Structure formats: C-alpha cells, structure tokens
Amino acid sequence: MSKQWAIWSAIALAAAASGSSAMAQEKIKVGFMLPFSGTYAALGVAIENGFRMQVAEQGGKLGGREIEYFKVDDESDPAKATDNVNRLIKRDKVDVIVGTVHSGVAMAMAKAAKESGTVLIVPNAGADAVTGPMCAPNIFRSSFSNWQTAYPMGLVAAKEGKKTAMTITWKYAAGEEAVNGMKEGFEKSGGKVTKQLTLPFPNVEFQALLTEIAAAKPDAVFSFFAGAGAVKFVKDYHASGLSKTIPLYGPGFLTDGTLDAQGEAAQGMLTTLHYADELGTARDQAFRTNYAKNYKLQPDVYAVQGYDAAQMLAVGLKAAGGDIGKKDVFRTAIEKATIASPRGDFTLSKAHNPVQDIYLRKVDGKENKKISVAVKALADPARGCRM
Ligand code: BEZ
C-alpha cells in the first residue's frame, strides 16, 4: 500500500466512524399521522400507545437511535390527507411515517410515500390498494387488508347455515372492501348476499336502513363499522329488536375496543379478526399486563398493531445499524422477519402485508373470546401488486 493511499484510507475510516457516531446521536424522526378526533379518535390513541410502549420496552431506542415524535391529527378526512402527510414529509422531514386508521386517508399517504421514498408503516387502514396496486418497497403494513378480515366471516356465516345475508356499512373503501371480502367467502360457500346497504362516513343515522333489514328478513346481517360508529350501530341494532332473530356478523372492528360502551347489546356476537382477548400465550399476556399497567386500559387490536409497527421498525433499523438510508438492508430485514406479535407470530407477504391467523371470536362480557382459528396463515391476495 502506498503511503498516500494509507493516509487516505485512514482519513476515510475516521470520517465514517465520526459520521456513524454523529448519526447515532441524531434521533430517528417518527411522524404519527393518526385520527386524534372524530369517530376513530380512540383507535389513533391506542395505536400511539402501543407504538410508544414497544419503544419503551426496547429501552427508548430502536437500532441504537432515540426517537423524536411528530404528530398530525388527520381527522379521518381524505380531503386533508395530502396536505397533512406533506407536513410530516416536507416540513418536519420525518424518517418514518406511522399512519393511519382510515383507508381513504391511507391511500393518499401511500401515494406521497411512494413519490418521496419516505418509509411508511400502516398500523391499521386496510385499504386493499395499499398492498395491492400501490405496493412499494418502502411501504409496510402491521395490520391487515380489508379483504383479509372479512372473507373468513363469509365462510363462517355459511358454516353457521346462513343462506342469505344483507350488508350494511359506510360508503368508503374499508366498508366496500370488507363487504366484497365477505361476499366472496359467503357466495363461494353457497350463500347469497341479497342487498348491500350503505350510508356516508361517518354518519350514524341507521334507523331507515334497519327498517329495511327488518322488512327483508335475511338470515344474517354483515356489517363493517369501527370506533364510535360501531358502538352506536351495535346498540341501535340491538334496540331495534333485530338481534333476537337475525344475527349480526362482521370483521372484529365491530366489537373491538368498544365493549365497555356496547354492554348488553354486543353479547354473543360472532366476529372474525387477527386478534382476540386473552389468547392465552405468554407473549400476549406480557403485552396485556404491561399495557394495562402503563395506560390503565385494556389493550385492543389497534394497540397491538401500533406495537407491531414499532417492532417492524426496530427489525429494519437494527439490521441497518440505525441507518434508515440503507434502504435495501432495512427492507430485506423486515421482509425476512418473523414478528413476535401478541396476536401470534406473523411474517410479511411479498406485498408487505401480514400473513396471519384469523380468529373466530365471540363476545362474552367485556371480552372478544377466541372460539377457533377461522383461517390459518391467511395471506391477502395482493391483487395488482407488482413488486
Ligand atoms: C379502515 O378505514 O381501513 C378501517 C378503519 C377502522 C377499522 C378498520 C379499518
């Protein structure tokens, strides 16, 4: 080695070392874009709680880097979504966006993430397109696709001997995709969806539609609602007397995080979801105990998804030595990981959506109790994803 070359090498090594120690001192900027107001406010809070709890369990650092948080209340309003996500990307220059709950808002976020290359981890919104036609190397989901939680309920409804079903939901991507998923499972098993009822998001004036259901007398009703809207719908359905003769089914959002408020109205309801209360594993028990201790609240599926978003970020950052700029290393590590979730272990599909067990649950008191695994290791079909 020439003397000059040796000097250059020494300078380069020193620069790299000081660069990486400077980087280690800089915080990773995480931007929460979540609903902190409106019908989905409680869901946003649970996601943030879960995320922060996982970071705290890792000693406050992921991949050796402390976290600096930024927050935007997206109000579950798709019309404001592009401006809101650009606040995080352009104004705050975050390294990672964690969001959101509402599928319509999430689609605008996925577009912005794809264009800017910013890492996006979706901790709830099930928009099929996010891990379908909009899939991208920098977009990951710690939750589910709308199809994935509803298709199994169609299979279950048919197994319960139901021949006809009506559906009722908000008219936006999540409701429409959940209904399509249920319909696919139900009709392939011999059932028939006779009518699809909708109302605008987040409207909760259900009375006229409940009257229509009562007149039509289907064997079952399938519905997608969540948050405060789910509380009101389940109570209205019960108060109308319909629950005595026509069982109300849905993806588990209908009864998750809502049972305190729904009380008697939800008892005995069957739903399908990738989480249930008291799964009986040591992993879940530790999560639930810590969550209850930290927040004086019982965790729900949204808290789990926030917690797992932080676990996924931790995996990527650890592999990349804390440098999120090492995009391929970051991405490959998450793609290859098995995430030890409170819901049970899961891996990611090629489109970056969890491949996971979907449980059949029954409401018993204040819990969504697991009855069985409705579909094991269910992967979203990721229609339209080219990656
Ligand atoms: C959604 O918009 O994708 C969604 C919202 C709440 C619960 C589940 C899905």
Side-chain angles (χ1 to χ4, degrees), residues 40 43 101-104 124-127 144 146 172 174 224 226 253 302:
Y40 288 160
L43 288 58
V101 167
H102 183 288
S103 276
N124 184 71
F144 59 89
N146 291 320
Y172 85 101
F224 166 89
F253 312 111
Y302 310 105

Side-chain angles (χ1 to χ4, degrees), residues 26 40 68 99 105 132 165 174-175 207 220 222 238 246 259 289 302 342 355 366:
E26 260 177 49
Y40 288 160
E68 181 175 8
V105 176
Q207 220 46 56
F222 173 89
H238 186 68
I246 309 174
L259 290 176
T289 304
Y302 310 105
V355 178
K366 292 199 173 169

Side-chain angles (χ1 to χ4, degrees), residues 202-232:
N203 191 321
V204 290
E205 295 312 315
F206 301 117
Q207 220 46 56
L209 299 177
L210 292 177
T211 305
E212 202 173 331
I213 293 170
K217 296 190 180 57
D219 292 344
V221 169
F222 173 89
S223 73
F224 166 89
F225 293 105
V231 171
K232 171 93 168 37

Side-chain angles (χ1 to χ4, degrees), residues 14 20 61 83 120 133 150 182 205 229 236 254 264 267 334 350:
S20 65
K61 289 186 179 180
D83 284 347
L120 169 64
M182 179 274 182
E205 295 312 315
D236 284 6
L254 209 47
E264 187 52 33
Q267 295 309 305
I334 301 178
K350 266 185 85 181

Side-chain angles (χ1 to χ4, degrees), residues 38-91:
T39 199
Y40 288 160
L43 288 58
V45 171
I47 289 167
E48 179 178 353
N49 286 349
F51 190 98
R52 285 181 184 264
M53 190 173 99
Q54 165 59 204
V55 172
E57 285 178 10
Q58 304 248 357
K61 289 186 179 180
L62 302 183
R65 309 269 303 268
E66 281 179 23
I67 312 290
E68 181 175 8
Y69 293 104
F70 296 79
K71 275 170 78 160
V72 169
D73 176 5
D74 67 37
E75 303 168 51
S76 296
D77 186 348
K80 297 182 184 161
T82 303
D83 284 347
N84 279 333
V85 73
N86 280 328
R87 278 191 190 114
L88 293 172
I89 295 173
K90 295 187 179 152
R91 182 193 65 190

